[in-house]
Amino acid sequence: MVASVHDITKLVQTRLALSDSENTYQNLFQHILEEVHLWELIRNEAGEIVSWKLIDANPIALRAWNKSRDEVIGKKTSEIFGEGAEDQFLHLVNKIFETGEAYSWEQYFEPTKQYLSMSSIPLKNAFISTGRDITDIKKAQQSLIETKEKAEEANRLKTEFINNMSHEVRTPMNGIIGFSELLMDSSLSEETRNSYVKIVQNSSQQLLKII
């Protein structure tokens, strides 16, 4: 009998390490609280990027899209989200492959009614996007902006109202004060005095109406 023996300890250790690494990755991928999706590029004959198809997506992304894995894996963007979906992000995808660097961006995505805060990272012939839905944050920010604008408008109207009232009140007040002082003149004729008194009375009535 002839026996041939090989020590495969290192090979088994490597396989176990790879298995542990894959399990760690899968656990992280499945439970991370941000959207994660991996896309493979689709190029035309000239080598230009025209679309991309989904290789994998985590549960958070699938819930945001309201899709199952069977509905999206292996599908192009336009098949998942509708015609024209690529157009919204084509310049971003081209950017990361032209620079070879990750790129972070915020954008409203109509098919899912989401404001997204994402980072896209180029790989060899694919890219991975990670990020989160910031729709609630954007709505809160918009609400704050609208509240601020309303407060500023109310303040402007209040100031305008006070300025107008000040002007309206000042006119009869000037009449009352001015002609009251003139009435102190003892040399006034009865007719002139009566006309001044009438002006003071009219101005008082006008002031009362304004108030």
Side-chain angles (χ1 to χ4, degrees):
M1 180 179 68
V2 176
S4 177
V5 179
H6 298 280
D7 182 357
I8 60 170
T9 305
K10 288 184 179 179
L11 178 61
V12 171
Q13 288 174 341
T14 301
R15 286 176 178 171
L16 290 173
L18 285 172
S19 178
D20 287 343
S21 178
E22 183 176 352
N23 289 335
T24 300
Y25 161 76
Q26 283 296 334
N27 187 54
L28 178 65
F29 184 77
Q30 293 296 323
H31 296 96
I32 193 170
L33 297 178
E34 291 191 340
E35 291 187 28
V36 183
H37 14 99
L38 180 62
W39 303 88
E40 182 182 350
L41 295 180
I42 299 174
R43 300 177 182 269
N44 61 18
E45 293 180 357
E48 299 170 329
I49 299 171
V50 293
S51 185
W52 41 93
K53 65 180 179 180
L54 187 66
I55 298 174
D56 206 352
N58 71 340
I60 292 288
L62 295 174
R63 281 200 295 272
W65 300 345
N66 196 26
K67 305 278 187 181
S68 68
R69 287 183 60 81
D70 292 339
E71 291 178 286
V72 296
I73 299 300
K75 301 289 182 65
K76 294 192 299 183
T77 309
S78 58
E79 294 174 318
I80 299 172
F81 302 114
E83 290 298 327
E86 289 98 343
D87 297 338
Q88 190 169 353
F89 300 108
L90 185 59
H91 68 288
L92 294 172
V93 176
N94 279 316
K95 183 181 181 70
I96 63 172
F97 282 95
E98 286 169 2
T99 62
E101 298 177 354
Y103 182 70
S104 297
W105 46 273
E106 287 186 5
Q107 195 161 335
Y108 179 71
F109 190 43
E110 178 62 33
T112 59
K113 309 296 183 185
Q114 288 176 290
Y115 283 98
L116 300 171
S117 177
M118 305 291 290
S119 293
S120 296
I121 305 165
L123 305 174
K124 186 175 182 181
N125 195 45
F127 66 94
I128 188 168
S129 289
T130 64
R132 57 198 177 98
D133 181 354
I134 57 169
T135 305
D136 290 341
I137 295 173
K138 284 291 185 180
K139 287 180 177 178
Q141 288 175 345
Q142 185 60 37
S143 178
L144 286 173
I145 290 170
E146 290 173 359
T147 301
K148 177 175 176 288
E149 289 175 348
K150 286 179 181 178
E152 289 174 345
E153 177 65 9
N155 188 58
R156 185 189 67 78
L157 292 173
K158 181 185 71 174
T159 302
E160 185 178 319
F161 171 76
I162 291 172
N163 290 337
N164 288 338
M165 283 298 294
S166 176
H167 174 74
E168 292 295 328
V169 168
R170 192 180 296 113
T171 302
M173 280 293 291
N174 287 338
I176 294 169
I177 294 169
F179 284 94
S180 294
E181 290 176 351
L182 290 174
L183 286 169
M184 300 295 291
D185 186 354
S186 58
S187 65
L188 290 174
S189 66
E190 189 67 24
E191 184 181 356
T192 301
R193 185 180 299 277
N194 289 337
S195 68
Y196 287 179
V197 169
K198 194 160 192 138
I199 291 172
V200 171
Q201 289 175 336
N202 289 337
S203 295
S204 298
Q205 288 299 320
Q206 184 182 351
L207 180 60
L208 185 60
K209 287 179 181 178
I210 291 169
I211 293 171

